[in-house]
Amino acid sequence: MYINDINLSRLVVSEPSESYKSGETVNRWVEVLVDCPGSTGLFTYRLPAQLEIKPGDILSVPFGAQQLGAIAIRLLAQPNIDLPSEKIREVEDIVSVGFFPSAYWELLNRVAAYYYTPLIQVIRVALPPGLLGRSQRRIRLVGGRGAALRLGSVTEGQGSSTSATLSDRGTEGSRYLLGSADPLAFLTPTARQVWELLQGQPAGDYSFVYLQQKVKSAYRGIRELLRFGLVESYLEPPRLTRPKLQKAVTLTGTIDQELTTRQREILEVLRRHGGELWLNEFLQICKTTTSTLKGLEEKGYIVIEEREVLRTEQGPTLIGDSAKSLTTAQASALETIQTLDEFAQVLLHGVTGSGKTEVYLQAIAPLLNQGKSALVLVPEIGLTPQLTDRFRARFGNKVSVYHSALSDGERYDTWRQMLTGEPQVVIGTRSAVFAPLPNLGLIILDEEHDSSFKQDSPIPTYHARTVALWRAELENCPLVLGSATPSLETWVSVGRQGSRGAGEQGSRGAGEQRGRGAGGEFVTPHSSLPTPNSSLSTQHGLNAPLPLTALSTHYLSLPERIYSRPLPPVEIVDMRQELQQGNRSIFSRSLQAALQELQERKQQGILFIHRRGHSTFVSCRSCGYVLECPHCDVSLAYHHTEEKAPELLRCHYCNYARSHPKFCPDCSSPYLKFFGSGTQRVTQELARQFRDLKFIRFDSDTTRNKGSHRTLLTQFANGEAHLLVGTQMLTKGLDLPQVTLVGVVAADGLLNLSDYRASERAFQTLTQVAGRAGRGEDPGRVIVQTYTTEHQVIAAVRSHDYQSFSQAELEQRQALNYPPYGRLILLRLSSLDPIQVQNAAQVIATALSTEEEFEILGPAPASILRVANRYRWQILIKFAPDALPRLPDWEEVRSLCPSSVSLTIDVDPLNIM
């Protein structure tokens, strides 16, 4: 039952080991959060005598006609006075024992309040798939499909009964209808349709929802069949992820002479394999049968029993690795990190190839010896194979991987392994920030500047850097942010704005801080990130900041590459001049010569292209018509599949696809041309101009399958190709020492975007991809092709000058009051109805405009108005960070939206396009 008054003191889920009895009073009721859309309050359930439930347990509870997952919040000695005890339902079972310790619970509450998200939605993100399940009502034939029709007579009065429900099977002892030549004649047409559907299904079993979809007013027919006892209704429990069990054979006794020769041979094989083998494997090795083994089990020589098989990501066998000798800058940075045994924020600013990963490894090693764990976050799944291999070579099986590309079973087992409390290292993408590691000693965000750490949808729209900072405070451990091109928010938060020296190191206490926190939050003297009060209600959010512990920040610099290798020189090629001089190829003459030289010297290189696919759009050369997606306001991109295959046009937003037309849909002209270049187009041009040059495409089209990132990178590392051709994935921390050439085909696609962060992103991307060259013994070379050589980003990339770029960019941001000197909240509205979403946006903007403490920008249509047939509008709220305004009551704002309009509140947005 729902409790209306939940405006209580701060909710704290106690540690699982604590007692929940108060004196002699026994808690007989529990309040839970139920995993049901639209339900955000607390519900009370009765505790069964046989279950030992504690706050933090994941439960299965009846909810309406369903069986749902729920989180135990707190135990009660008495239910709410307004609740009749006979209406309180009973908890069904415990799915998982106590998971939410107090610090972790506080973290989830902060995320819920700061990002204006129902707590249960945050919990769904934090838990692995399958722990919170949903049951469904199903209907099946009594006795199965093969059962004979047993239609008997109905006692008088029963035929008109309307009280049967989906859980009823009719009155006890009702007689079947008398047999007849056509038994189905007794059924109404609706009941007959349902019956025939069930008869046509091998198991005679369908979900109630499916039957409703297939038969109009199916519930009436089902009720009739239930009344006659022809079908039964049951609740299918949630399909929860469970441990994987497999039979194993264990040797228990000595091998006696009384056994037959064959039996002794079988037991000898088992002994040579350490006395234990999986049953299937044992049967194959011995070429025997299960019945033979059963005989040995009956005699007491072996035991066959089920054991759990851990589903974890399997990497290649690696040679053990030992700690490397450090440069002076690395040793100094490591010493600083190792002296920190409490909450602190560290920026490890190292140029590409300066050995940041080795610093991470040596900082983690002593923590594992102390029984502590470490969490390492990376922006992309593509980075995890290379990084994981390095960590496993150093720490062996203490390293686990946790990201969305794992199967549900792998994520479930990895998650359970974390709960054991064993010292371990978890490497994962942004969702791994919620990994339930007890005794956490260090959190690392590698490539902390990357926008992949921010979730745009679905809610919560959290930034892993912000959540990691909160978690470091709650766990009282250091947070290390590593990057060659730090985000401007982090740069300001450690007090580096205006700094020109690249080599110095230093730290600041909380009392000296000026600027913004790692997630875009302002840091003021003796206070810290504005974080919400821990409460189930997310109404106030940013209006009620909760001070963090005094934040100590440290700036650590690695200004040189290891072994004193130089940063690669960057050559800027003006493609306007190339065109004037008659070169119409997508490759400049300089890049063509470099590729030819690469082939002759048998070296390797990287080609970076901003977009995947073949061409960015297809246009008619006669009338100018551009082929667009029918569901989105964007052009269709051409994707080449294979030789002689149909030409395919695809939308990169909704994945709509169609064949390439022979004639223009508008004027019927046959002159359709592909414009722009994607990875496919570049590889086709490579194959045409450099026939002996081998290449590998590395983009989201070629890395869809599980393990494909590792496979492609391994092929390249083994020298099976001269070139790695790809998109953004190539820029994110890949360490490929054999690469001597990096070519950027078209830098302009990064520069000319309608986003105030476009310059920062372009500088970071180009600097990062340039840093892939020259990491080995051979010197590197970078060629950047552009039509705007005079752009400030291009000039900064040419000289690898982060300081001058950041200073110029920060001056512009400060003048416009944009982050890191201002705060933003983006309201995204979408609907299938273009008029309704526009009106809703206008109503909300008008309601918000009465406030004077913040600036309203909009409403305005999104840069791409329609995506997947949904029309999108935006409202941007901008305000100063040093004095948080009285922000709106978001529940009131949501109430202004009709049900057909979706509203997403994105706090500290990174993408406003």
Side-chain angles (χ1 to χ4, degrees), residues 207-277:
S207 72
F208 179 63
V209 173
Y210 177 81
L211 292 172
Q212 279 185 307
Q213 292 171 348
K214 292 295 182 182
V215 180
K216 186 177 181 181
S217 302
Y219 70 93
R220 292 177 180 169
I222 294 170
R223 187 167 59 190
E224 184 179 342
L225 294 171
L226 286 167
R227 195 165 60 243
F228 290 156
L230 298 175
V231 299
E232 60 184 354
S233 167
Y234 70 99
L235 202 62
E236 183 184 52
R239 295 180 180 179
L240 305 174
T241 306
R242 299 293 187 190
K244 181 181 178 181
L245 300 177
Q246 190 171 315
K247 287 187 177 179
V249 184
T250 306
L251 183 65
T252 58
T254 57
I255 304 174
D256 293 337
Q257 294 300 320
E258 297 177 0
L259 297 171
T260 65
T261 303
R262 178 59 178 152
Q263 288 175 328
R264 286 200 300 271
E265 288 175 356
I266 292 172
L267 294 180
E268 182 60 28
V269 169
L270 188 57
R271 186 189 63 79
R272 287 200 304 267
H273 284 81
E276 285 188 336
L277 275 174

Side-chain angles (χ1 to χ4, degrees), residues 149 151 177-187 192:
L149 289 176
L151 300 178
L177 293 172
L178 292 171
S180 68
D182 183 12
L184 296 185
F186 289 95
L187 300 177
R192 192 178 307 170

Side-chain angles (χ1 to χ4, degrees), residues 524-600:
T524 55
H526 302 293
S527 69
S528 193
L529 305 183
T531 58
N533 282 325
S534 178
S535 167
L536 284 178
S537 173
T538 61
Q539 175 177 337
H540 301 295
L542 296 178
N543 297 328
L546 177 71
L548 287 172
T549 308
L551 176 60
S552 155
T553 62
H554 302 261
Y555 175 79
L556 308 177
S557 177
L558 304 178
E560 294 181 354
R561 286 185 159 185
I562 56 174
Y563 305 120
S564 300
R565 290 175 181 139
L567 288 168
V570 179
E571 177 186 346
I572 307 298
V573 178
D574 191 336
M575 295 302 287
R576 294 169 296 188
Q577 294 182 7
E578 291 286 316
L579 189 61
Q580 290 171 6
Q581 294 168 12
N583 179 19
R584 297 185 177 275
S585 168
I586 59 175
F587 305 125
S588 64
R589 288 167 300 174
S590 177
L591 185 54
Q592 289 178 31
L595 290 171
Q596 191 66 46
E597 188 177 309
L598 193 75
Q599 184 176 333
E600 292 169 357

Side-chain angles (χ1 to χ4, degrees), residues 151-344:
L151 300 178
S153 61
V154 180
T155 55
E156 253 183 61
Q158 288 177 343
S160 61
S161 171
T162 58
S163 61
T165 67
L166 287 180
S167 60
D168 295 330
R169 286 189 53 192
T171 307
E172 185 75 24
S174 66
R175 300 171 185 174
Y176 293 118
L177 293 172
L178 292 171
S180 68
D182 183 12
L184 296 185
F186 289 95
L187 300 177
T188 62
T190 302
R192 192 178 307 170
Q193 278 184 275
V194 174
W195 171 267
E196 289 170 351
L197 265 177
L198 292 168
Q199 281 281 58
Q201 209 269 350
D205 188 323
Y206 272 126
S207 72
F208 179 63
V209 173
Y210 177 81
L211 292 172
Q212 279 185 307
Q213 292 171 348
K214 292 295 182 182
V215 180
K216 186 177 181 181
S217 302
Y219 70 93
R220 292 177 180 169
I222 294 170
R223 187 167 59 190
E224 184 179 342
L225 294 171
L226 286 167
R227 195 165 60 243
F228 290 156
L230 298 175
V231 299
E232 60 184 354
S233 167
Y234 70 99
L235 202 62
E236 183 184 52
R239 295 180 180 179
L240 305 174
T241 306
R242 299 293 187 190
K244 181 181 178 181
L245 300 177
Q246 190 171 315
K247 287 187 177 179
V249 184
T250 306
L251 183 65
T252 58
T254 57
I255 304 174
D256 293 337
Q257 294 300 320
E258 297 177 0
L259 297 171
T260 65
T261 303
R262 178 59 178 152
Q263 288 175 328
R264 286 200 300 271
E265 288 175 356
I266 292 172
L267 294 180
E268 182 60 28
V269 169
L270 188 57
R271 186 189 63 79
R272 287 200 304 267
H273 284 81
E276 285 188 336
L277 275 174
W278 295 115
L279 177 60
N280 291 338
E281 184 183 359
F282 190 37
L283 291 173
Q284 288 179 356
I285 293 173
C286 296
K287 295 187 172 129
T288 186
T289 63
T290 307
S291 59
T292 302
L293 297 184
K294 284 287 185 185
L296 288 170
E297 185 180 28
E298 289 171 0
K299 293 180 179 181
Y301 289 98
I302 62 173
V303 172
I304 302 175
E305 59 185 354
E306 283 193 333
R307 294 192 185 174
E308 182 179 351
V309 183
L310 284 177
R311 295 158 291 191
T312 56
E313 185 185 60
Q314 298 300 316
T317 303
L318 301 168
I319 301 173
D321 180 34
S322 57
K324 306 290 189 297
S325 58
L326 302 178
T327 64
T328 303
Q330 282 178 308
S332 177
L334 177 63
E335 182 182 3
T336 301
I337 294 171
Q338 289 182 333
T339 58
L340 300 173
D341 59 356
E342 59 184 6
F343 174 47

